[in-house]
Amino acid sequence: MIKKVLVILLLAVIGFYLVDLLAQIPFGEKRDNVGDYYLQESVQSLKVANAVTGIVVNFRGFDTLGEVTVLFLAAMGLSSIMYRKKKKGDKDVRAKKPSSRILQVGVQIIFPMVVILGAYVFIHGHLTPGGGFQGGAIIATASLLMLITYRKFKVNHNTISWIESIAGVVFATLGIIGLIKGMSFLENFLPTGELNALLSGGIIAIIYVSVGFKVAAELTGVIDTVLLNNKPDSNNENN
Amino acid sequence: MVISPVHYIALPLLAAFLIPLLGKINKELVRIVPGLVLLYLSYVSVTLMTQVLQGSPIVEIIAGWSPPWGINLVFSAFSGFLVSLMTILGFLIWVYTYNFKPEESYSQTTKFYTLFMMLITGTIGIVITGDIFNLFVFMEITAISSYSLTAFYRERDGAEAAFKYVLIGSFASFFVLLAIVILYTQVGTLNMADIARKMPDVDPYIKGVILLFFFIGFGIEAEMFPLNGWAPDVYTQAPGPIAAIFSGMVVKAGVYALIRVIFTLFDVPSVLNLLLIMGLLTMVVAEVIAMRQERIKRMLAYSSIGQMGLVLVAFSIGTKDAIFAAIFLMFNHAVIKGLLFLSSTFMVYHSKGKEISEMNGLGKLMPFTAFVFSLGAMAIVGLPPFSGFWSKLYLLMAAADAQLVAVIAIVLVISVIELAYYFRVVHRIYFKERTSVVPIKTPTINAKFTLAVLALVIVVIGVYPDLISGMIEQAAKDLLDKQNYIHYVLSVR
Amino acid sequence: MNQLLTISFYGTSVALILIGLYAVLAKKNLLKIVIGLSIIDGGLHLLFVSIGYISKGTAPIFSPEVVGTNAVMVDPVPQALVLTAIVIGFAVTAVALSLVIRLYRHHNTVSIDEIKNLKW
Amino acid sequence: MIWLIIPIIVLVLLTIGAAIFAVVTKNLLYAVVSTGVISLGLSLFFFILQAPDVALTEAAIGVALTTIIFIITIRNTTQYEGDHKENKIEKGAKS
């Protein structure tokens, strides 16, 4: 019981600090910060309609490269933690009886639409809200839908690691090409077209499409690793 | 392609994405590629370091946008010195781990070497970046690699240590991100040099709270006293070479981030007293606990925390020679503690509990490893002929100049305690009969090469310290000179 | 009106952070702790975006009809950073949950007390 | 103009209520579902704060994928917190 009181006390202290701090930061007030420069530049030099995408991919592209690595490492770390030597008795742990007819038909209709939506989101990343991460996550939910509904649906880890690696290599080489051309790493060396056109924004569109593929492949791999690992057998042997 | 600091990040990332594909061509490539990358990066750091020591620091902009708006990398004397130390030490540890556990399955080996390389890249990224949010992203890369590597071996209870580390690591990330949020409202920019320039006109109360949040966040990464419960378990459960990387680099990056925030971003001198107290506290508690440890890796882990406390104390004195001593201490600790971890891994390779008693009588059975281990033990305590002696001497002299008599007394007492428990182990190795029945695994050729090189470095630097004292001198000057940092970062186009 | 808005946005994020912290510190079940971590993350992201809000500002998208009209736009930088932070939070949660599964496999229990054999 | 505050108040109560419920409830499945509700609330918050990108991310990752991973973890571990009576039955039946 004392533990709970202590925790409440600690929370009160942290809460007081936070509230006292936030009271001095007015809400909704215009502060002079780097944001205005980004808004102005993303229209003039980058010709990217979605300023947030401009920041995520070009102005702070290094963060996104780090971000994609974090996801790559999480997928790798996850499968290394969940690694179990394949044993003969490994049965498919998914539901024994097949899912209901309505679900199967429903998924047949929804699956292509969700994949198209995901593809649309990350292709138009620099025009409309959304981008690589969001589109990839949407496609991952689509493949999840298939994994749950159909027992025969198997995610092929070989293709996933191929897509993952190729997309990552595309992102890194686009950066290095900028370096080879004498400009700086990840610089926009392609012509940027004009605002609100599909091909505007130079390498930004290409980078965000490769990020979309990479995130889609990675999240499907993560979900598949976690979903298909075996529930501990009855005698609860640990490997 | 001209050599520039961005190679430290771009090349390992490209290699990490390629390793799964290369593995399909030839299984051995998976082990070789990280080594080639680290070898090339060591070459890069040597060339860049020579450039920086003569000329001015190298600032590289990313994506063509100059500092306050884009992200930039700073390869100055201080960050360059640490990065070179990390790449060369990383390459040596890679040589050591070439086929550390040959019986591991192929898929696990791929993951081990990719996470190994990305752990080093993450720490290098923390040291080299000039942008506060980028530092947070690299901190996450390091964190996720170390969570997965801690839980790598299934037979040990790595999962408990990893979960504890995730818990406390998430606290650290929370406090750092919270500090970045509040800092952004006050300063409006994320570039470290720009923040340092605008810091004077920030409201002192908010500045204090932001610094407190940074202090807690990076304090956890730098194993400061109240929140370093995770470190001993993580060091014990992680694979041998990974524990060497943790103590040699990951903690250094945490200390670097803390020092960069305190000395460059903020101008609050009173925080140095807090750092002094926390440093002393960390040192005393860790060393006292280290004395009672029965297992070698836990003992080394606590000794490592104690050494970090010593480094924090050295930094908190704040004068130029104190900073010089602190950086020298960091260098020594990375090399010597790496040697101790790497040699002790082979001494207790097959034993389950890794007890110190199982190291009895190894002097005769593993002469080379035992000799190297005792050499490292003498060096870390600070005995004259080795490099550890100089760094402690400079620290004591700096503390004497600053009239901190209490600090000198505590450091000396701690050195005696260290002497006690390290010699207890060395005594067991040479003068006790072999009792345990565990089979012995003598180190492989490449492991011996690494141990020999590290031992050589300790002796050479010990006998002839001003090989690197010139470099450390410039690093200390670079850290203290805040206006110069702001000038050369913001003036790059 | 503006006062109410402030309380609702900042207040929710502080409340979420405190609830998350309570779950992490006081709860025994490993899963509850990981839930607490993700709640803390959520609260922090909400705080990060709400400091970038500018009253009567529009989203930072230059769709064709907005281009010429130099309308007041919300600060895009916090949004870009939160995008990264959300995916990092998801990655850490996924790793933490895989550790929970492995802990359950080894110790057949999900309560932190029975597992805490690694003492100080 | 004032009536605009009503949906915000409802949203605030929804999010904080779901958070409290997630922490308090004994049944982990309910806790996980309410985590999804919190993410939904956050997504709507981001929508009000004129941040469509972040709202889409929070919806795609927070609501869908995080909830799924939590539910999969529950499937591999116990469904009830602490040594709840169902836990005992379930363990009994299993071993």
Side-chain angles (χ1 to χ4, degrees), chain B residues 208-243:
Chain B
V209 176
I210 298 175
L211 186 55
L212 180 69
F213 285 149
F214 269 129
F215 195 86
I216 298 171
F218 288 131
I220 295 172
E221 287 297 318
E223 293 174 348
M224 223 184 276
F225 167 63
L227 288 167
N228 57 7
W230 57 274
D233 311 332
V234 165
Y235 283 38
T236 323
Q237 303 305 335
I242 302 299

mmCIF file of all heavy atoms in Angstrom, chain B residues 208-243:
data_model
loop_
_atom_site.group_PDB
_atom_site.id
_atom_site.type_symbol
_atom_site.label_atom_id
_atom_site.label_comp_id
_atom_site.label_asym_id
_atom_site.label_seq_id
_atom_site.Cartn_x
_atom_site.Cartn_y
_atom_site.Cartn_z
ATOM 1 N N GLY B 208 15.682 26.323 -16.177
ATOM 2 C CA GLY B 208 16.064 25.382 -15.117
ATOM 3 C C GLY B 208 15.311 24.078 -15.243
ATOM 4 O O GLY B 208 15.901 22.984 -15.192
ATOM 5 N N VAL B 209 13.995 24.154 -15.522
ATOM 6 C CA VAL B 209 13.198 22.909 -15.596
ATOM 7 C C VAL B 209 13.638 22.085 -16.812
ATOM 8 O O VAL B 209 13.818 20.870 -16.722
ATOM 9 C CB VAL B 209 11.688 23.255 -15.690
ATOM 10 C CG1 VAL B 209 10.878 21.986 -15.870
ATOM 11 C CG2 VAL B 209 11.260 23.984 -14.435
ATOM 12 N N ILE B 210 13.857 22.761 -17.935
ATOM 13 C CA ILE B 210 14.294 22.022 -19.147
ATOM 14 C C ILE B 210 15.617 21.311 -18.855
ATOM 15 O O ILE B 210 15.790 20.119 -19.150
ATOM 16 C CB ILE B 210 14.469 22.993 -20.333
ATOM 17 C CG1 ILE B 210 13.157 23.678 -20.698
ATOM 18 C CG2 ILE B 210 15.022 22.259 -21.552
ATOM 19 C CD1 ILE B 210 13.304 24.736 -21.769
ATOM 20 N N LEU B 211 16.542 22.059 -18.204
ATOM 21 C CA LEU B 211 17.852 21.447 -17.905
ATOM 22 C C LEU B 211 17.666 20.257 -16.966
ATOM 23 O O LEU B 211 18.299 19.211 -17.129
ATOM 24 C CB LEU B 211 18.763 22.505 -17.268
ATOM 25 C CG LEU B 211 20.213 22.059 -17.030
ATOM 26 C CD1 LEU B 211 20.843 21.558 -18.323
ATOM 27 C CD2 LEU B 211 21.031 23.213 -16.471
ATOM 28 N N LEU B 212 16.724 20.383 -16.023
ATOM 29 C CA LEU B 212 16.473 19.261 -15.097
ATOM 30 C C LEU B 212 15.994 18.034 -15.878
ATOM 31 O O LEU B 212 16.483 16.911 -15.683
ATOM 32 C CB LEU B 212 15.416 19.672 -14.067
ATOM 33 C CG LEU B 212 15.061 18.593 -13.035
ATOM 34 C CD1 LEU B 212 16.236 18.361 -12.102
ATOM 35 C CD2 LEU B 212 13.817 18.979 -12.259
ATOM 36 N N PHE B 213 15.060 18.258 -16.817
ATOM 37 C CA PHE B 213 14.562 17.109 -17.605
ATOM 38 C C PHE B 213 15.693 16.486 -18.425
ATOM 39 O O PHE B 213 15.873 15.276 -18.462
ATOM 40 C CB PHE B 213 13.424 17.572 -18.534
ATOM 41 C CG PHE B 213 12.134 17.804 -17.818
ATOM 42 C CD1 PHE B 213 11.229 18.767 -18.263
ATOM 43 C CD2 PHE B 213 11.821 17.085 -16.680
ATOM 44 C CE1 PHE B 213 10.030 18.982 -17.601
ATOM 45 C CE2 PHE B 213 10.636 17.307 -16.000
ATOM 46 C CZ PHE B 213 9.741 18.256 -16.469
ATOM 47 N N PHE B 214 16.506 17.346 -19.087
ATOM 48 C CA PHE B 214 17.650 16.790 -19.839
ATOM 49 C C PHE B 214 18.568 16.016 -18.894
ATOM 50 O O PHE B 214 19.052 14.931 -19.207
ATOM 51 C CB PHE B 214 18.447 17.933 -20.503
ATOM 52 C CG PHE B 214 17.983 18.259 -21.899
ATOM 53 C CD1 PHE B 214 17.682 19.560 -22.257
ATOM 54 C CD2 PHE B 214 17.853 17.260 -22.857
ATOM 55 C CE1 PHE B 214 17.244 19.868 -23.537
ATOM 56 C CE2 PHE B 214 17.413 17.550 -24.134
ATOM 57 C CZ PHE B 214 17.110 18.867 -24.482
ATOM 58 N N PHE B 215 18.783 16.595 -17.704
ATOM 59 C CA PHE B 215 19.719 15.985 -16.735
ATOM 60 C C PHE B 215 19.247 14.588 -16.359
ATOM 61 O O PHE B 215 20.006 13.620 -16.380
ATOM 62 C CB PHE B 215 19.793 16.893 -15.500
ATOM 63 C CG PHE B 215 20.956 16.600 -14.601
ATOM 64 C CD1 PHE B 215 22.201 17.182 -14.842
ATOM 65 C CD2 PHE B 215 20.832 15.740 -13.518
ATOM 66 C CE1 PHE B 215 23.286 16.913 -14.027
ATOM 67 C CE2 PHE B 215 21.906 15.472 -12.700
ATOM 68 C CZ PHE B 215 23.134 16.066 -12.945
ATOM 69 N N ILE B 216 17.923 14.467 -16.098
ATOM 70 C CA ILE B 216 17.378 13.147 -15.726
ATOM 71 C C ILE B 216 17.476 12.199 -16.923
ATOM 72 O O ILE B 216 17.988 11.082 -16.821
ATOM 73 C CB ILE B 216 15.913 13.289 -15.267
ATOM 74 C CG1 ILE B 216 15.833 14.163 -14.025
ATOM 75 C CG2 ILE B 216 15.300 11.927 -15.001
ATOM 76 C CD1 ILE B 216 14.404 14.526 -13.638
ATOM 77 N N GLY B 217 17.025 12.679 -18.101
ATOM 78 C CA GLY B 217 17.014 11.806 -19.283
ATOM 79 C C GLY B 217 18.399 11.279 -19.618
ATOM 80 O O GLY B 217 18.636 10.063 -19.681
ATOM 81 N N PHE B 218 19.357 12.200 -19.783
ATOM 82 C CA PHE B 218 20.707 11.734 -20.159
ATOM 83 C C PHE B 218 21.419 11.119 -18.963
ATOM 84 O O PHE B 218 22.331 10.305 -19.124
ATOM 85 C CB PHE B 218 21.517 12.903 -20.732
ATOM 86 C CG PHE B 218 21.058 13.332 -22.098
ATOM 87 C CD1 PHE B 218 20.822 14.660 -22.380
ATOM 88 C CD2 PHE B 218 20.836 12.395 -23.095
ATOM 89 C CE1 PHE B 218 20.382 15.061 -23.628
ATOM 90 C CE2 PHE B 218 20.384 12.773 -24.352
ATOM 91 C CZ PHE B 218 20.166 14.115 -24.608
ATOM 92 N N GLY B 219 20.990 11.478 -17.748
ATOM 93 C CA GLY B 219 21.601 10.856 -16.567
ATOM 94 C C GLY B 219 21.338 9.362 -16.550
ATOM 95 O O GLY B 219 22.211 8.572 -16.201
ATOM 96 N N ILE B 220 20.123 8.971 -16.976
ATOM 97 C CA ILE B 220 19.820 7.527 -17.031
ATOM 98 C C ILE B 220 20.752 6.862 -18.035
ATOM 99 O O ILE B 220 21.352 5.820 -17.775
ATOM 100 C CB ILE B 220 18.342 7.327 -17.430
ATOM 101 C CG1 ILE B 220 17.417 7.874 -16.351
ATOM 102 C CG2 ILE B 220 18.051 5.867 -17.710
ATOM 103 C CD1 ILE B 220 15.951 7.887 -16.741
ATOM 104 N N GLU B 221 20.944 7.505 -19.206
ATOM 105 C CA GLU B 221 21.820 6.894 -20.218
ATOM 106 C C GLU B 221 23.254 6.835 -19.711
ATOM 107 O O GLU B 221 24.005 5.910 -20.023
ATOM 108 C CB GLU B 221 21.793 7.748 -21.510
ATOM 109 C CG GLU B 221 20.506 7.623 -22.297
ATOM 110 C CD GLU B 221 20.264 6.211 -22.815
ATOM 111 O OE1 GLU B 221 21.224 5.575 -23.281
ATOM 112 O OE2 GLU B 221 19.134 5.715 -22.696
ATOM 113 N N ALA B 222 23.646 7.825 -18.886
ATOM 114 C CA ALA B 222 25.044 7.874 -18.424
ATOM 115 C C ALA B 222 25.179 7.152 -17.092
ATOM 116 O O ALA B 222 26.179 7.347 -16.396
ATOM 117 C CB ALA B 222 25.480 9.332 -18.275
ATOM 118 N N GLU B 223 24.183 6.352 -16.722
ATOM 119 C CA GLU B 223 24.243 5.506 -15.520
ATOM 120 C C GLU B 223 24.488 6.306 -14.258
ATOM 121 O O GLU B 223 25.353 5.953 -13.443
ATOM 122 C CB GLU B 223 25.381 4.467 -15.673
ATOM 123 C CG GLU B 223 25.095 3.473 -16.733
ATOM 124 C CD GLU B 223 26.277 2.547 -16.965
ATOM 125 O OE1 GLU B 223 27.376 2.841 -16.449
ATOM 126 O OE2 GLU B 223 26.107 1.553 -17.650
ATOM 127 N N MET B 224 23.757 7.399 -14.092
ATOM 128 C CA MET B 224 23.929 8.160 -12.859
ATOM 129 C C MET B 224 23.217 7.429 -11.720
ATOM 130 O O MET B 224 22.434 6.510 -11.973
ATOM 131 C CB MET B 224 23.345 9.567 -13.036
ATOM 132 C CG MET B 224 24.241 10.641 -12.460
ATOM 133 S SD MET B 224 23.444 12.203 -12.619
ATOM 134 C CE MET B 224 23.914 12.569 -14.291
ATOM 135 N N PHE B 225 23.451 7.823 -10.475
ATOM 136 C CA PHE B 225 23.134 6.961 -9.338
ATOM 137 C C PHE B 225 21.678 6.478 -9.284
ATOM 138 O O PHE B 225 21.437 5.270 -9.407
ATOM 139 C CB PHE B 225 23.510 7.647 -8.014
ATOM 140 C CG PHE B 225 22.904 6.927 -6.857
ATOM 141 C CD1 PHE B 225 23.262 5.613 -6.579
ATOM 142 C CD2 PHE B 225 21.915 7.528 -6.106
ATOM 143 C CE1 PHE B 225 22.664 4.941 -5.534
ATOM 144 C CE2 PHE B 225 21.336 6.843 -5.054
ATOM 145 C CZ PHE B 225 21.704 5.566 -4.777
ATOM 146 N N PRO B 226 20.680 7.344 -9.095
ATOM 147 C CA PRO B 226 19.409 6.727 -8.705
ATOM 148 C C PRO B 226 18.844 5.805 -9.776
ATOM 149 O O PRO B 226 18.187 4.819 -9.464
ATOM 150 C CB PRO B 226 18.476 7.913 -8.476
ATOM 151 C CG PRO B 226 19.150 9.077 -9.108
ATOM 152 C CD PRO B 226 20.582 8.782 -9.203
ATOM 153 N N LEU B 227 19.083 6.034 -11.041
ATOM 154 C CA LEU B 227 18.379 5.265 -12.069
ATOM 155 C C LEU B 227 19.337 4.407 -12.878
ATOM 156 O O LEU B 227 19.195 4.292 -14.079
ATOM 157 C CB LEU B 227 17.625 6.236 -12.993
ATOM 158 C CG LEU B 227 16.394 6.867 -12.326
ATOM 159 C CD1 LEU B 227 15.895 8.025 -13.152
ATOM 160 C CD2 LEU B 227 15.318 5.833 -12.141
ATOM 161 N N ASN B 228 20.382 3.807 -12.230
ATOM 162 C CA ASN B 228 21.244 2.938 -13.052
ATOM 163 C C ASN B 228 21.078 1.488 -12.640
ATOM 164 O O ASN B 228 21.972 0.679 -12.803
ATOM 165 C CB ASN B 228 22.701 3.390 -12.926
ATOM 166 C CG ASN B 228 23.139 3.375 -11.469
ATOM 167 O OD1 ASN B 228 22.403 2.917 -10.605
ATOM 168 N ND2 ASN B 228 24.303 3.912 -11.205
ATOM 169 N N GLY B 229 19.889 1.131 -12.128
ATOM 170 C CA GLY B 229 19.642 -0.248 -11.729
ATOM 171 C C GLY B 229 19.711 -1.191 -12.905
ATOM 172 O O GLY B 229 20.003 -2.384 -12.769
ATOM 173 N N TRP B 230 19.483 -0.659 -14.089
ATOM 174 C CA TRP B 230 19.432 -1.539 -15.261
ATOM 175 C C TRP B 230 20.810 -2.015 -15.676
ATOM 176 O O TRP B 230 20.965 -3.109 -16.205
ATOM 177 C CB TRP B 230 18.791 -0.793 -16.450
ATOM 178 C CG TRP B 230 19.500 0.471 -16.796
ATOM 179 C CD1 TRP B 230 19.303 1.702 -16.238
ATOM 180 C CD2 TRP B 230 20.545 0.646 -17.758
ATOM 181 N NE1 TRP B 230 20.162 2.628 -16.796
ATOM 182 C CE2 TRP B 230 20.935 2.008 -17.729
ATOM 183 C CE3 TRP B 230 21.207 -0.208 -18.639
ATOM 184 C CZ2 TRP B 230 21.940 2.529 -18.538
ATOM 185 C CZ3 TRP B 230 22.220 0.295 -19.439
ATOM 186 C CH2 TRP B 230 22.562 1.667 -19.388
ATOM 187 N N ALA B 231 21.848 -1.223 -15.382
ATOM 188 C CA ALA B 231 23.159 -1.472 -16.007
ATOM 189 C C ALA B 231 23.759 -2.816 -15.601
ATOM 190 O O ALA B 231 24.110 -3.612 -16.472
ATOM 191 C CB ALA B 231 24.106 -0.327 -15.659
ATOM 192 N N PRO B 232 23.883 -3.157 -14.300
ATOM 193 C CA PRO B 232 24.546 -4.421 -13.970
ATOM 194 C C PRO B 232 23.851 -5.616 -14.613
ATOM 195 O O PRO B 232 24.499 -6.492 -15.166
ATOM 196 C CB PRO B 232 24.458 -4.487 -12.452
ATOM 197 C CG PRO B 232 24.054 -3.167 -11.985
ATOM 198 C CD PRO B 232 23.457 -2.425 -13.117
ATOM 199 N N ASP B 233 22.512 -5.643 -14.593
ATOM 200 C CA ASP B 233 21.823 -6.815 -15.183
ATOM 201 C C ASP B 233 22.101 -6.869 -16.678
ATOM 202 O O ASP B 233 22.382 -7.932 -17.226
ATOM 203 C CB ASP B 233 20.309 -6.690 -14.958
ATOM 204 C CG ASP B 233 20.013 -6.358 -13.512
ATOM 205 O OD1 ASP B 233 20.842 -6.741 -12.670
ATOM 206 O OD2 ASP B 233 19.002 -5.703 -13.251
ATOM 207 N N VAL B 234 22.058 -5.711 -17.354
ATOM 208 C CA VAL B 234 22.233 -5.725 -18.812
ATOM 209 C C VAL B 234 23.647 -6.192 -19.145
ATOM 210 O O VAL B 234 23.856 -7.037 -20.015
ATOM 211 C CB VAL B 234 21.960 -4.305 -19.380
ATOM 212 C CG1 VAL B 234 22.463 -4.174 -20.804
ATOM 213 C CG2 VAL B 234 20.480 -4.007 -19.312
ATOM 214 N N TYR B 235 24.639 -5.683 -18.400
ATOM 215 C CA TYR B 235 26.024 -6.082 -18.712
ATOM 216 C C TYR B 235 26.192 -7.577 -18.497
ATOM 217 O O TYR B 235 26.894 -8.265 -19.233
ATOM 218 C CB TYR B 235 27.007 -5.343 -17.791
ATOM 219 C CG TYR B 235 27.259 -3.894 -18.173
ATOM 220 C CD1 TYR B 235 26.245 -3.094 -18.649
ATOM 221 C CD2 TYR B 235 28.519 -3.334 -18.042
ATOM 222 C CE1 TYR B 235 26.459 -1.781 -18.985
ATOM 223 C CE2 TYR B 235 28.752 -2.005 -18.379
ATOM 224 C CZ TYR B 235 27.710 -1.236 -18.844
ATOM 225 O OH TYR B 235 27.933 0.074 -19.185
ATOM 226 N N THR B 236 25.528 -8.115 -17.430
ATOM 227 C CA THR B 236 25.726 -9.539 -17.131
ATOM 228 C C THR B 236 25.086 -10.414 -18.185
ATOM 229 O O THR B 236 25.652 -11.406 -18.597
ATOM 230 C CB THR B 236 25.080 -9.826 -15.753
ATOM 231 O OG1 THR B 236 25.297 -8.709 -14.911
ATOM 232 C CG2 THR B 236 25.695 -11.050 -15.126
ATOM 233 N N GLN B 237 23.897 -10.042 -18.641
ATOM 234 C CA GLN B 237 23.159 -10.949 -19.554
ATOM 235 C C GLN B 237 23.607 -10.779 -20.998
ATOM 236 O O GLN B 237 23.475 -11.687 -21.807
ATOM 237 C CB GLN B 237 21.645 -10.653 -19.470
ATOM 238 C CG GLN B 237 21.089 -10.769 -18.077
ATOM 239 C CD GLN B 237 21.365 -12.118 -17.445
ATOM 240 O OE1 GLN B 237 21.553 -13.112 -18.172
ATOM 241 N NE2 GLN B 237 21.467 -12.165 -16.141
ATOM 242 N N ALA B 238 24.147 -9.610 -21.346
ATOM 243 C CA ALA B 238 24.477 -9.402 -22.768
ATOM 244 C C ALA B 238 25.672 -10.282 -23.132
ATOM 245 O O ALA B 238 26.468 -10.650 -22.266
ATOM 246 C CB ALA B 238 24.825 -7.938 -22.991
ATOM 247 N N PRO B 239 25.821 -10.611 -24.423
ATOM 248 C CA PRO B 239 27.011 -11.370 -24.850
ATOM 249 C C PRO B 239 28.285 -10.595 -24.488
ATOM 250 O O PRO B 239 28.263 -9.373 -24.408
ATOM 251 C CB PRO B 239 26.850 -11.461 -26.364
ATOM 252 C CG PRO B 239 25.426 -11.192 -26.650
ATOM 253 C CD PRO B 239 24.897 -10.356 -25.533
ATOM 254 N N GLY B 240 29.383 -11.285 -24.287
ATOM 255 C CA GLY B 240 30.642 -10.701 -23.830
ATOM 256 C C GLY B 240 31.043 -9.439 -24.583
ATOM 257 O O GLY B 240 31.140 -8.351 -24.001
ATOM 258 N N PRO B 241 31.288 -9.542 -25.910
ATOM 259 C CA PRO B 241 31.759 -8.344 -26.642
ATOM 260 C C PRO B 241 30.742 -7.209 -26.582
ATOM 261 O O PRO B 241 31.123 -6.037 -26.557
ATOM 262 C CB PRO B 241 31.936 -8.860 -28.074
ATOM 263 C CG PRO B 241 31.288 -10.190 -28.133
ATOM 264 C CD PRO B 241 31.215 -10.733 -26.756
ATOM 265 N N ILE B 242 29.429 -7.567 -26.523
ATOM 266 C CA ILE B 242 28.431 -6.485 -26.484
ATOM 267 C C ILE B 242 28.552 -5.720 -25.157
ATOM 268 O O ILE B 242 28.436 -4.493 -25.119
ATOM 269 C CB ILE B 242 27.009 -7.073 -26.643
ATOM 270 C CG1 ILE B 242 26.913 -7.835 -27.960
ATOM 271 C CG2 ILE B 242 25.973 -5.980 -26.579
ATOM 272 C CD1 ILE B 242 27.153 -6.995 -29.182
ATOM 273 N N ALA B 243 28.867 -6.448 -24.060
ATOM 274 C CA ALA B 243 29.052 -5.739 -22.775
ATOM 275 C C ALA B 243 30.236 -4.777 -22.905
ATOM 276 O O ALA B 243 30.204 -3.652 -22.404
ATOM 277 C CB ALA B 243 29.310 -6.763 -21.670
#
